[in-house]
């Protein structure tokens, strides 16, 4: 059974760089998208971006200038880097698998089917 | 980009009630809509995908409907295990967008 285990620093100062890594165990890295999502206190979920095994990335336009998602397929890991953090970046950050679900011949959709445990990241001086 | 608007933001229910949550997309997304359940301290759980398809292992009291821009999640005969936050996620291509969530609380 595929599991995601994430880790990274939980307390940062403003202007520092947030770095988180998510390890995929129990399955392969290929064929899916690997995503980062965050939830700020009292707010809804915000998709940050994703990467596939080929290194193809997509980012949330509102964060794109500060975000980099990378992958190390040899280690079955993917990472998030968010630069120049502020208090507004305080949130629970989660990694997740985005997998295709077949609906019929030539038809499919995408779902977030496996999630990491989440990491609380606090930005404070 | 597609925006997902979920309502209500919270509701109170009793065991045995029927609960309905609505998610509206800012533009048509066909049936590319999923529903998730999230409990404190746990990871989100996929309930419904493609607007109406029940994820394996999810109780049949959960159902989804809708297409285009309006979607609903219905919980029939709410059980104690169902008190949680529910959110939708819509669209086929990135950027992927979530609804703001609906907290289902005990009345």
């Amino acid at each position: 059974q595929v599991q995601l285990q994430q880790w990274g620093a939980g307390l940062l100062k403003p202007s520092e760089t947030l770095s988180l890594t998510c390890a995929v165990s129990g399955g392969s890295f290929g064929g899916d998208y690997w995503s980062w999502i965050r939830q700020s206190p009292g707010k809804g979920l915000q998709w940050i971006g994703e990467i596939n095994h080929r290194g193809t990335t997509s980012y949330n336009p509102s964060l794109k200038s500060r975000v980099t998602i990378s992958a190390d397929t040899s280690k079955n890991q993917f990472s998030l880097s968010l630069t120049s953090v502020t208090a507004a970046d305080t949130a629970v950050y989660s990694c997740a698998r985005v997998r295709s679900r077949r609906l019929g011949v030539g038809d499919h959709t995408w779902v977030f089917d496996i999630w990491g445990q989440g990491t609380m990241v606090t930005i404070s001086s | 980009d597609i925006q997902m608007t979920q309502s209500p933001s919270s509701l109170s229910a009793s065991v045995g009630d029927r609960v309905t949550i609505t998610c509206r997309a800012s533009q048509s997304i066909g049936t590319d809509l999923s529903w998730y359940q999230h409990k404190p301290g746990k990871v989100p759980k996929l309930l419904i995908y493609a607007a109406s398809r029940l994820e394996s292992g999810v109780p049949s009291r959960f159902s989804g409907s809708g297409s285009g821009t309006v979607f609903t999640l219905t919980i029939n005969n709410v059980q104690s295990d169902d008190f949680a936050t529910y959110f939708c996620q819509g669209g086929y291509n990135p950027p992927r967008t979530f609804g703001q969530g609906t907290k289902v609380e005990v009345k």
Side-chain angles (χ1 to χ4, degrees):
Chain A
Q1 183 173 347
V2 175
Q3 291 186 316
L4 302 180
Q5 182 70 36
Q6 61 181 97
W7 65 88
L11 180 61
L12 296 171
K13 290 181 168 51
S15 80
E16 293 185 333
T17 296
L18 179 157
S19 294
L20 296 172
T21 297
C22 186
V24 181
S25 62
S28 67
F29 203 72
D32 300 301
Y33 285 89
W34 304 92
S35 186
W36 288 99
I37 304 104
R38 72 181 185 180
Q39 185 168 24
S40 302
K43 295 190 176 181
L45 293 164
Q46 182 181 37
W47 177 79
I48 299 170
E50 64 191 32
I51 190 168
N52 67 7
H53 68 285
R54 299 187 194 89
T56 302
T57 55
S58 296
Y59 297 124
N60 188 315
S62 69
L63 298 169
K64 188 173 184 177
S65 64
R66 299 192 292 131
V67 172
T68 301
I69 296 175
S70 59
D72 184 338
T73 55
S74 67
K75 294 182 178 180
N76 271 12
Q77 295 177 359
F78 62 107
S79 298
L80 169 68
S81 174
L82 180 66
T83 62
S84 304
V85 296
T86 70
D89 295 310
T90 293
V92 175
Y93 287 75
S94 299
C95 56
R97 183 176 76 175
V98 184
R99 168 154 279 203
S100 171
R101 282 296 169 88
R102 183 178 168 187
L103 303 178
V105 177
D107 190 18
H108 70 105
T109 191
W110 296 97
V111 299
F112 291 81
D113 68 338
I114 297 175
W115 296 66
Q117 78 277 17
T119 299
M120 180 68 210
V121 178
T122 302
I123 313 300
S124 175
S125 55
Chain B
D1 298 345
I2 298 169
Q3 306 300 318
M4 306 301 298
T5 303
Q6 198 172 328
S7 61
S9 56
S10 66
L11 62 89
S12 298
S14 300
V15 171
D17 284 353
R18 180 182 185 183
V19 163
T20 298
I21 300 168
T22 299
C23 193
R24 287 181 167 81
S26 59
Q27 58 187 272
S28 178
I29 56 172
T31 57
D32 282 307
L33 190 286
S34 303
W35 290 98
Y36 300 81
Q37 177 192 66
H38 195 190
K39 295 181 179 180
K42 297 198 172 183
V43 301
K45 175 185 176 182
L46 175 64
L47 300 174
I48 302 282
Y49 64 97
S52 62
R53 301 200 182 197
L54 196 67
E55 173 72 346
S56 176
V58 173
S60 59
R61 62 181 181 272
F62 291 92
S63 64
S65 65
S67 66
T69 61
V70 182
F71 303 85
T72 59
L73 171 70
T74 300
I75 312 172
N76 287 302
N77 187 23
V78 167
Q79 299 299 298
S80 57
D81 191 48
D82 300 338
F83 293 105
T85 297
Y86 295 84
F87 58 91
C88 60
Q89 186 273 315
Y92 180 86
N93 291 313
R96 308 194 192 276
T97 311
F98 295 93
Q100 291 300 99
T102 297
K103 187 173 184 179
V104 178
E105 300 175 297
V106 178
K107 183 182 287 183

